[in-house]
C-alpha cells in the first residue's frame, strides 16, 4: 500500500531522476539544487508538506476510488461536487502559501480528463484504454507522484493543419508503430514545473481531423525517459536568485519555472498509451482538460491574498493605511479577488457526473472564471503598485543595504515609522515587485492571461455554450413578437 | 392544510384587500386593474403561476420544515445549501421570465432573517419571539401569501441618530405600548411591490443603540391595516402604460412598482411583534437580511438573459449578427452576466447552518456579488445599446406605426431584411429601451445599484469581513519579515 | 446686411414655416407650441440668445470670411485653429446651459464639410458647386438660419449596396433630372432638431461606387419644401411634458427631439445642388463631416458639467458630500468629463488648413474623442446614480407632492436637512433622472453612442489612420531586428 | 556663444564628472561605461543626437529668450502655447525613439517652474532670485547641460511635519547659513537619470509652513559637488544587461535608471540659491513643477507607440494579425494611447502666460492627463501581453538559442512562418517583456503611476480646480430650484 510522501522524500525522489535539462546554454546536472530551479521545487514540495498537516488534511487529501486509500488530492479523480469544490479551495490555499505556481494542477487535470476520454473511447471501440489508464492512475496514487500534463504544441504556421505543416514535428505525433509500443517526435511548450515532475503525460493540443490522426495521441512516460530533453525558459528577474539568498528575490522560498520539452524519437510502451489515432475524441479530451484547468486558476485567488496582505502591510509601514483612498483600494482588491473566488467555486458547485463516474465542472462557468482571471489580477496588481509607492522600483539593492558604506544612509532615509525596521519595508516592497513585475508576475499576470488557453479560447467556448436561442425566445415573447412562451 | 395559489386566485385575493393607495395625486380605488400597477401584479402572479408548472416545481417549491407540506419557495426557510442554491436559480428563472422585478424576494429574505434573530433573542432573554414568528410563518406558508419586507427608513438628517432627529418619525418607532400590542409611527421608502402584497413585515434599517431602543422594532401586519398608506412612486416611462396596450411599452406583460409607505399611528398586536426594543440584535437582523437580499440579486442575471436575447435578436434583424465586433460584444454581455451568476451561486454554495437550523449564505461573497451587480448590468446595458443602434431612441410611436397616414412610411423605411416585419424590429427595440432606459431600467440599473444597500454599504461589509491579518501573515512570512508561518 | 437673430425672432421665424409634422399618429399643426417639441425649440433658441450676450460673444460669434460681418458661429466656416478650438468650447458652453442637445451643430458641420468637398469636385471637374455653395452659405449667414444636416439613410438590407436594394428608396437618390433641377426620393433617420430648422441639407451616408451614382447627391432645401414630411420619434419619458409644467420633467426648459424625415418626390433646383453623381467624392464628404461632427460631441462635456453639478447638489442635500467615497466619485466624474474635454480640444488644436481654406480637425483625434464619448458618459451617469440614491426612481410624482392629501407626508418624510426644502431635493433628483434615464438620457447616453457614427465606425477610421508601419519600424530597430532606424 | 552638444560630446562631458556613485554595494568608478547604467546614458544622449537632426529641429530646439541662440528645447523657458505643444510632441517623439525614460524632462520642468517662482518671490520681497536664476539658466543653455530636478524627500513619518520628524533630515533642509552660502542636509528619492546629469536642482517636496522654513529651500549645484552621493536603485531585470549584449535585454540600446541621492553637509554658494526660507512660495513652486511634469508624461505615448508596433509585429510573426479580435485589440491600444496624447496636447493648447512671461499649461487638464497615465498604460500593456502569447514568459534564453546543443531545437520549434527567422520572434517578444515586465516596465508602468505624483496627488488637485459651484448653479437653474441663471 502506498503512502503520502513528505517534502524531504519528494526532494529525494527527484534526485533519483536522470533528467536532461538545459538552461542558459548549459546542461544542468543537478536541478534540485540549482538556485534558479530550487524555489520551484520548493513550491511543489509544499503540495506534499501541507497534505500531511492535520489542518489541511480535508482539503489536500482524498480517498482513492480505486484503492480506498488516503491519497494526495492532486492524484485524485473527482468523485463528487464536494471534491470539485475542495479542489478550488486547495488551489486558493496553496496559492496563498506559496504566492506562485505550485505546478501540480496540470497533472491532476490531465488525469481527470483522461479518466473520461479513455472510458468514452473504450465504449465506442471496445478498446482497453481505460483499464490501462486506471492501472497507471493507481501507480501514480500509490507512489504519490507529480505528473506534468503536456498539451501545447509549437503549432508552426497557424494557418495550416498539423499534417500540412512544412515541418511535420510542429505537432507531436506518432512516427512509428512497433509491436511493443509507439515512437513519437515533437515538442511541448510552456511546460510548467516540468523538471520537478516524475511523470509527463502528453495530450493533443487541439481537435484533430482524420488526416491528422497520427497527431491524435496521448500517453504517459517517466520524465527521464530517453529522448526527452528540457530547456528551461527565462522569467523576469530570474537571475536575482543567483545573487545569493538576499531579500531582493521578494519571495524567499518559492517560485515557478517553465520549460520547452523536446521529444526526440521517444519510445512509449503500449501500456502507457491512452489514445492512439482516435482523432474524433480529441475535442472532448482537449475541452475537458481545458475546463478542469481553467477551474485550477483558483490558485490566483491565493496569490491575490498574499498580494493584498503585502499591500496592506506596506500601507501600514508607510503610515497611510487609514487614508480613505487606500482603504477603498484595499476593498477593491478584495472585491476583485473574491469575484475570482466566486468563479472557481461556482463552476465546481455546478459540476456534474460524467458517465464514467468522474465529476466535471460546469464548463461554461469554468470558462467565464478563467476569462476573469485574464483581467482582474492585472487590476489588482495595478492597485497594489498604486499603494506601494514608487520606492518599489527605485530602492537600492540588498547588497547596498548591507554595505558598510552606504547601508546606513539607506537605513536612515528609507525609514518611516520608528517601529518599522527599514529592512522590513524593503522586504515587503520586493515581494510586491516579485508578484507584479518579477518572477511571480510571470505566473500571476502573463500566465493568468495565457495558461489553460488565451482569452480568445475562452470566448470561443463561451459563445458556443451560451444558449442564445433560449434567451431570444424569452425576449420575443415578452415584447409580443411571439405569442407563445 | 394549505395549498399553492394559482395566478387567478392570487389576483382575486388582492381584490379583497382594502389598501389605501395614492398615485399622481389621486386615490387608486382598484390597484389590481390600474394600468400602471397591473403589470407589476402580473410579475408577482408569475411567482404563483410558475410554481405550478412541473418543469419548475423543483426550483419554485419546497417542503415546509414546519408542516412537511409543499410550499412556494418564496415562503420557505432555507434548510440546506441546496435550498440556497435553488433560491439563486429561482431568481434567475423568474427574472428571465418577466424581465423585471417580481417583488417577492424581499419577503422571503425577511422571513429567513427573522427566523435567525427571533431565535437568538429568545436564547438570550427567554422571550417567545421565535414561537410567535413560527406561528406567523405557518400562516404565511399555508395561505401562500406575498409579504413585503420593509426596511428602509427616510433617515432625515444623516448625521443624527434616530432618537436625535428633529422629527422623531424619521425612523419608524414605537410611540405607545399597550397591553394588547404596540402603536408605531414612521414610514418606509422604496417599498418594492408593496401594493401587491398581503402582508408587510417591518424591520429596523440600521444598528440601533440603547438611546434608540424604541426604534428597534420588527413586526408583521396585513397590508391593509388601518393607518397604513401607500404612495406609488414614478418610474421612467411609467405613463406609456396609459397609452393603451401598444408595443411602445416594450415589455407587454410585466413591470414593477415602488411605493412610499406611511405608518400613521398603526396598532400591532403582540402576536405579530418579533422584536421590541432588543436593540443589540438590530445589527444581526439588518446584516443577515442584507446578505440574503444581496443574494437575491440573482434575478438580474435573468433580466440580463432577456436583454442578451433581445440584443442578439436586433442584431439579426439588422443583419449584423455575424460582424465580428457584434459577436464579441454578445460574448462580453454573457461573460458579465455569467460572472454575476457565479456570484449568486458561490455565496449560496458556501452557505452554512445557523444555530436555529436556518441556512445562511456566505456573507462576504453575497456582498461581493451585490457589489458586482451595482456595476456589470450598466455595462451590459451599454453594450446592448451599442448593438441596438440609434433607432431605439429615435423611432416613432406605435400610434404613428399604425397611422393610416404615416404608418406606411415607417413600415417602408424601417424595414431591413425582407423576412423581418418592421413591427418586430420596433418591438424588440422597445424592449431594449424598456430595460435600459424605461420602466425596467429602474429595476435593472438603478435598483441594482441601490437595492439591498447602496455600493458603499457592501464595501463596508467587505472591509469588515476580509481577514487582512491572515493575508498579511502569509505575505510577511514569504518575504522573510516573519520567520514562522 | 444680415444680423444676428434673437430668441424671439427665431421663434417667430419658425412660426412662418409650413412644416408637415406628425407625432403619436397625428399631424402637429403648431410645432412651436407643442409641449413635447417646444423644449427642443428652446434649446435651439439658446444658440441665438447666448450669441447676443457680451460674455459669450467671443465664443458664440465669428467674422464671416465671405462678408466680414459678425455671424453666429454655427453658420461659420472655420478659418483657423482658434476657430476650431472655439467651436469645441461653444459646444461645452451650450451643453452646460441647456443640459441637452441644442441641435445646431449638425448644420455647421455639414456646411464646413461641403465647403471642402464642393471645392474639390470643382477642382477636378470644373463644375461650379463651390460657387453655388458659397452663395447658399452667404444666405444662411446673413439670415442666421438653422440648418439640419441629413446624412443617415435607412439602409435596408445591410448586406446590399444602395442600388441593389429590393426597395430603391432605402438610400435617398435622384429619381429624375430636369432642366431646372432634380427630383429625389428617400428618407433620413435620426434627424436631430429637424422641425426646429429653417433648412435641411442632405448628404450621402456612405461611400458610393459607380453603380450607386444616383445616390451620390447633396443639396439644401427649405425645411417646409413640398414633399418633405417629419415624423417625430419617441424619447424616454417624452409624455411627462404633457403633464403640465411640473418639476417631474427634470429639465424645466430644454430638451431635444429626433425625427424620421421623408422625401417623397421632392424637387431641388440646381442652385441648391452641391453634388450630383460625383460618387468618388462621397468618401471625403462623409469622412470630413463625420470628423467635424465627432468633434461636436464637445457638448456632452457641458451636459456632464450639469450632471456633476446636480450630483454634488444631491450629495449636499443628502448630507453626504463629505463622505470620502462621495468626494472621490465626484472627482472621478470630473476626471472622465475633462478627459472628454481634452479630446475635443486636442483634435481642434491639432487641426489644419485644407486647400480651400477651411480648417479641418485632426481626424484621428476626433475619432478617438468620439470613441471615448461612447463610453465615459455611461460611467459618469452610473456614478451619478450611485450618489443620487434610490429615491431617484421611487419618489412619488409632483402631483402627489402637491396633493392636499398625501403631499404633507412626502414633504415630511423626504426631508433631510432642515434648510433644504423637500421640493428642491425632488427637483434635483428629477434632473438626474432626466439626464440618466429620461429624455436627456437619449442625448447624453444613446446618442453619445450612435450620433456621428456608432462606435465601430470610429474604430474603422482609427484602424485606418494609425500608422502601424512606423510604429513597427521603431520597435524592430530597438530590439535589433532592423539595424537601421 | 554656446552650441548644441552632440551625443559624443555629451558622453565625454560626463566622463569629466567625479560622481560618487554606488550600486550593488560597490562604488561605480566609471558610470558611463557601466553596463547597467550605460543604456540610460544612451537615452539621454538621444536628446542631444536628435536635436541635431534636421527633421526634428523644429520640435527639439528652440530660440532662447535670453540670448536669441538656438538651444535644446530641454533647456528652454516656454514662451508661447506653441512651445508648450512642441514640448508634448518632443516627449512623444523621444519616447518612441527610445522606448524608455530619457530623463531630461525633469530638469526642463524645474527650470520653468523656478522661472515663475523666483520672479514671484522677488516681486514680493525685492530679492534677486530671478536674476540669479536667469544667470544660471543662461549657463545651462549655453553649455547645453542636463539638469536633474530633485523634489521628493524621504518624508519619514507621514503624519509629521518636516520640522517635527524625529530625524530632522527626513526632508532636505538648511543646517547652516554662511556669508558665502548655505549648508544643507538631506536626501532626494526616485532621482531619475541622476548620474547622467551635469547639474542637480533641488526643490521642496510639499507646502511648507512657517515652522518648516528651513526646509523651504531651492538651489542648483554641479552633480559632482562634494557631499553628494548617488545610490543607484534596482530595476526589474536590471542584471540582464550584465549578461553581455544579448537580445534578452529586449531594448538593445536604451534604458533608464533611478537613484537615491544623499546630501551630506553640502555647501551651496548664494548665487546658486533660488529660494531660502520663503516658505509661502513652496506651494506655487511645487504645484507648477507638478503641472509641468505631469504634462511631461507625453513620453509614455511614445513608449506606447513602440509597444503597439511590437505587438502588431508579433501578431504578424504569429500569423494572427488578421484575426478580428487581434485587430480590435490593436485598435483599442491605439485608442487608449491617443487618448493620452489628447491629454498632453490639450493641457498645452490651453496654456497661458504667467506674469513673468513664462507659459504654463492648464493645470487642471495636466492633472487629468497624468491621472489617465496612471491607468491606461497598464491596460495597453495587458492587451500587448494578450496578443504576444505565453511564449514571452516561457522562451529560453539567448544563450540557449545560440547553444550548439539545444539552439537547433529552439530554432526548429519556435518557428512560425517560413519567412520569419525564429530569432526575430524572440527579439520582439523580449522587447514586449522589457516594456511590460522588465526594466522599461519600471518606467512605462510603475513610474507612470507614481512619477510627478501618485494618483491621489492628482485627484486632490482636480478636486481643488474643478468649479463645482458653477456647475451646481447651472443644475439648480435648469431644474427650477433657482429662478435666475
Amino acid at each position: 500500500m502506498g503512502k503520502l510522501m513528505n517534502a524531504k522524500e519528494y526532494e529525494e525522489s527527484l534526485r533519483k531522476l536522470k533528467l536532461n535539462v538545459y538552461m542558459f546554454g548549459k546542461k544542468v546536472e543537478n536541478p534540485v539544487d540549482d538556485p534558479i530551479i530550487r524555489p520551484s521545487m520548493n513550491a511543489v514540495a509544499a503540495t506534499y508538506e501541507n497534505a500531511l498537516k492535520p489542518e489541511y488534511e480535508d482539503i489536500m487529501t482524498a480517498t482513492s476510488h480505486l484503492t480506498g486509500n488516503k491519497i494526495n488530492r492532486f492524484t485524485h479523480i473527482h468523485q463528487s461536487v464536494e471534491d470539485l469544490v475542495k479542489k478550488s479551495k486547495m488551489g486558493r490555499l496553496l496559492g496563498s502559501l506559496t504566492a506562485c505556481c505550485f505546478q501540480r494542477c496540470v497533472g491532476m487535470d490531465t488525469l481527470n480528463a483522461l479518466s473520461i476520454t479513455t472510458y468514452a473511447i473504450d465504449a465506442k471501440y471496445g478498446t482497453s484504454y481505460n483499464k490501462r489508464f486506471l492501472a497507471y492512475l493507481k501507480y501514480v496514487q500509490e507512489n504519490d507522484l507529480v505528473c506534468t500534463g503536456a498539451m501545447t504544441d509549437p503549432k508552426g504556421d497557424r494557418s495550416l493543419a498539423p499534417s500540412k505543416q512544412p515541418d511535420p514535428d510542429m505537432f507531436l505525433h506518432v512516427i512509428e508503430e512497433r509491436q511493443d509500443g509507439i515512437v513519437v517526435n515533437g515538442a511541448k511548450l510552456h511546460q510548467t514545473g516540468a523538471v520537478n515532475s516524475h511523470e509527463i503525460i502528453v495530450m493533443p493540443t487541439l481537435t484533430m481531423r482524420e488526416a491528422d490522426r497520427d497527431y491524435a495521441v496521448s500517453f504517459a512516460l517517466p520524465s527521464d525517459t530517453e529522448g526527452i530533453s528540457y530547456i528551461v525558459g527565462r522569467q523576469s528577474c530570474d537571475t536575482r536568485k543567483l545573487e545569493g539568498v538576499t531579500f531582493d528575490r521578494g519571495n524567499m522560498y518559492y517560485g515557478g519555472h517553465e520549460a520547452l520539452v523536446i521529444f526526440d524519437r521517444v519510445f512509449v510502451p503500449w501500456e502507457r498509451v491512452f489514445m492512439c489515432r482516435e482523432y474524433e475524441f480529441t475535442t472532448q479530451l482537449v475541452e475537458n482538460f481545458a475546463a478542469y484547468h481553467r477551474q485550477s486558476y483558483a490558485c490566483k485567488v491565493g496569490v491575490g491574498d498574499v498580494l493584498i496582505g503585502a499591500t496592506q502591510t506596506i500601507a501600514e509601514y508607510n503610515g497611510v493605511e487609514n487614508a480613505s483612498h487606500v482603504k477603498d483600494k484595499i476593498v477593491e482588491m478584495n472585491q476583485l479577488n473574491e469575484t475570482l473566488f466566486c468563479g472557481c467555486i461556482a463552476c465546481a458547485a455546478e459540476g456534474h457526473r460524467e458517465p464514467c463516474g468522474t465529476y466535471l465542472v460546469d464548463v461554461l462557468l469554468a470558462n467565464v472564471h478563467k476569462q476573469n482571471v485574464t483581467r482582474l489580477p492585472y487590476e489588482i496588481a495595478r492597485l497594489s503598485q498604486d499603494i506601494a509607492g514608487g520606492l518599489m522600483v527605485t530602492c537600492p539593492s540588498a547588497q547596498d543595504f548591507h554595505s558598510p558604506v552606504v547601508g546606513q544612509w539607506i537605513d536612515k532615509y528609507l525609514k518611516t515609522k520608528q517601529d518599522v525596521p527599514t529592512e522590513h519595508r524593503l522586504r515587503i516592497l520586493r515581494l510586491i515587485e516579485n508578484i507584479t513585475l518579477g518572477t511571480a508576475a510571470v505566473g500571476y499576470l502573463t500566465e493568468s492571461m495565457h495558461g489553460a488557453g488565451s482569452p480568445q479560447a475562452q470566448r470561443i467556448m463561451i459563445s458556443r455554450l451560451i444558449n442564445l436561442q433560449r434567451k431570444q425566445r424569452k425576449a420575443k415573447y415578452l415584447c409580443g413578437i411571439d405569442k407563445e412562451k
Side-chain angles (χ1 to χ4, degrees), chain A:
Chain A
M1 177 194 137
K3 71 173 205 35
L4 298 174
M5 274 203 272
N6 64 28
K8 195 71 203 154
E9 289 163 342
Y10 164 63
E11 182 178 335
E12 291 313 311
S13 71
L14 288 185
R15 291 188 191 281
K16 293 177 191 149
L17 297 175
K18 294 179 178 52
L19 298 175
N20 199 31
V21 180
Y22 296 88
M23 188 165 51
F24 294 121
K26 291 180 194 149
K27 179 144 198 217
V28 181
E29 297 298 342
N30 177 3
V32 171
D33 295 311
D34 181 90
I36 287 188
I37 294 172
R38 189 168 178 91
S40 76
M41 195 280 291
N42 290 342
V44 182
T47 71
Y48 289 93
E49 177 191 357
N50 289 291
L52 298 175
K53 293 190 180 163
E55 67 266 39
Y56 300 141
E57 180 184 6
D58 179 52
I59 280 186
M60 299 250 354
T61 66
T63 302
S64 169
H65 74 297
L66 297 180
T67 64
N69 290 339
K70 181 159 84 170
I71 55 176
N72 192 300
R73 187 173 295 281
F74 282 106
T75 67
H76 184 53
I77 300 300
H78 316 300
Q79 298 298 308
S80 65
V81 160
E82 198 184 0
D83 269 349
L84 291 171
V85 170
K86 284 183 182 168
K87 178 194 153 185
S88 289
K89 291 183 176 175
M90 176 171 71
R92 181 175 191 167
L93 172 65
L94 286 169
S96 76
L97 292 173
T98 63
C100 69
C101 176
F102 38 86
Q103 312 150 53
R104 208 174 168 186
C105 299
V106 64
M108 166 177 54
D109 297 333
T110 304
L111 293 171
N112 276 274
L114 280 171
S115 79
I116 298 172
T117 296
T118 53
Y119 184 92
I121 302 177
D122 289 359
K124 177 164 181 187
Y125 290 115
T127 42
S128 54
Y129 288 124
N130 191 244
K131 195 177 145 198
R132 279 184 201 165
F133 169 75
L134 292 177
Y136 175 69
L137 176 67
K138 189 175 168 190
Y139 165 75
V140 168
Q141 289 182 343
E142 293 294 290
N143 291 285
D144 201 3
L145 300 180
V146 176
C147 305
T148 187
M151 175 168 270
T152 310
D153 290 285
K155 297 198 197 78
D157 184 332
R158 268 68 176 161
S159 65
L160 301 176
S163 55
K164 295 289 179 294
Q165 297 280 338
D167 180 339
D169 296 339
M170 297 315 276
F171 291 77
L172 190 146
H173 61 131
V174 180
I175 56 170
E176 191 186 336
E177 188 169 330
R178 299 191 198 157
Q179 202 166 1
D180 53 349
I182 55 178
V183 180
V184 299
N185 240 24
K188 291 288 181 178
L189 265 63
H190 318 311
Q191 211 46 53
T192 308
V195 310
N196 296 326
S197 303
H198 306 96
E199 294 279 321
I200 183 162
I201 315 180
V202 163
M203 294 166 285
T205 196
L206 43 72
T207 293
M208 299 293 169
R209 313 274 169 216
E210 186 163 11
D212 307 317
R213 50 204 296 276
D214 286 347
Y215 295 83
V217 61
S218 175
F219 57 84
L221 284 176
S223 53
D224 56 355
T225 299
E226 196 183 336
I228 302 180
S229 301
Y230 303 86
I231 313 172
V232 177
R234 292 215 73 159
Q235 296 188 317
S236 174
C237 300
D238 45 11
T239 54
R240 285 206 193 169
K241 297 171 190 164
L242 300 176
E243 295 175 9
V245 181
T246 78
F247 59 71
D248 278 2
R249 56 171 62 189
N251 187 327
M252 302 301 287
Y253 310 107
Y254 302 115
H257 80 254
E258 302 286 333
L260 167 61
V261 186
I262 309 295
F263 291 77
D264 187 19
R265 302 193 60 80
V266 175
F267 173 74
V268 190
W270 283 117
E271 69 267 22
R272 287 297 190 88
V273 176
F274 307 134
M275 171 188 279
C276 188
R277 302 201 173 94
E278 294 82 4
Y279 64 89
E280 69 272 40
F281 289 90
T282 50
T283 302
Q284 185 199 65
L285 182 55
V286 169
E287 288 186 4
N288 285 348
F289 169 76
Y292 279 126
H293 205 42
R294 285 162 195 179
Q295 175 200 14
S296 286
Y297 279 75
C299 60
K300 303 309 180 197
V301 184
V303 181
D305 286 333
V306 175
L307 185 56
I308 292 167
T311 307
Q312 173 69 15
T313 302
I314 189 64
E316 293 175 5
Y317 288 177
N318 289 348
V320 297
E321 76 275 22
N322 290 320
S324 62
H325 77 95
V326 171
K327 287 196 291 184
D328 194 63
K329 284 163 188 165
I330 293 285
V331 168
E332 183 64 16
M333 292 171 79
N334 279 283
Q335 168 68 21
L336 298 173
N337 203 44
E338 299 296 337
T339 296
L340 294 182
F341 188 57
C342 288
C344 61
I345 289 297
C347 72
E350 289 287 292
H352 66 272
R353 189 181 185 280
E354 288 285 308
C356 63
T358 304
Y359 272 70
L360 179 62
V361 291
D362 181 285
V363 179
L364 172 58
L365 298 187
N367 277 278
V368 166
H369 166 59
K370 174 69 209 322
Q371 181 80 179
N372 281 330
V373 172
T374 69
R375 301 171 171 182
L376 308 193
Y378 283 83
E379 179 63 5
I380 296 170
R382 194 185 73 84
L383 289 167
S384 175
Q385 290 195 357
D386 182 345
I387 295 176
L391 190 64
M392 186 189 93
V393 293
T394 67
C395 67
S397 66
Q399 293 99 317
D400 287 310
F401 181 74
H402 293 120
S403 146
V405 181
V406 297
Q408 54 173 341
W409 280 332
I410 299 173
D411 195 29
K412 170 187 171 83
Y413 282 117
L414 301 187
K415 195 162 192 69
T416 50
K417 292 172 166 175
Q418 290 304 304
D419 60 343
V420 176
T422 300
E423 185 181 327
H424 286 193
R425 196 175 171 220
L426 298 184
R427 282 182 179 271
I428 206 79
L429 285 171
R430 288 296 179 211
L431 179 59
I432 297 174
E433 184 196 31
N434 172 261
I435 300 176
T436 67
L437 286 176
T439 55
V442 167
Y444 188 56
L445 301 179
T446 323
E447 289 178 14
S448 285
M449 180 68 84
H450 294 291
S454 299
Q456 191 62 10
Q458 288 115 54
R459 292 178 92 76
I460 289 167
M461 284 304 290
I462 292 167
S463 81
R464 211 183 296 162
L465 293 167
I466 46 177
N467 189 333
L468 282 178
Q469 287 69 36
R470 192 164 57 191
K471 294 185 196 337
Q472 288 181 265
R473 276 197 300 275
K474 282 170 176 160
K476 287 181 177 177
Y477 170 73
L478 288 169
C479 67
I481 291 174
D482 291 343
K483 299 303 169 195
E484 298 294 309
K485 289 197 199 193

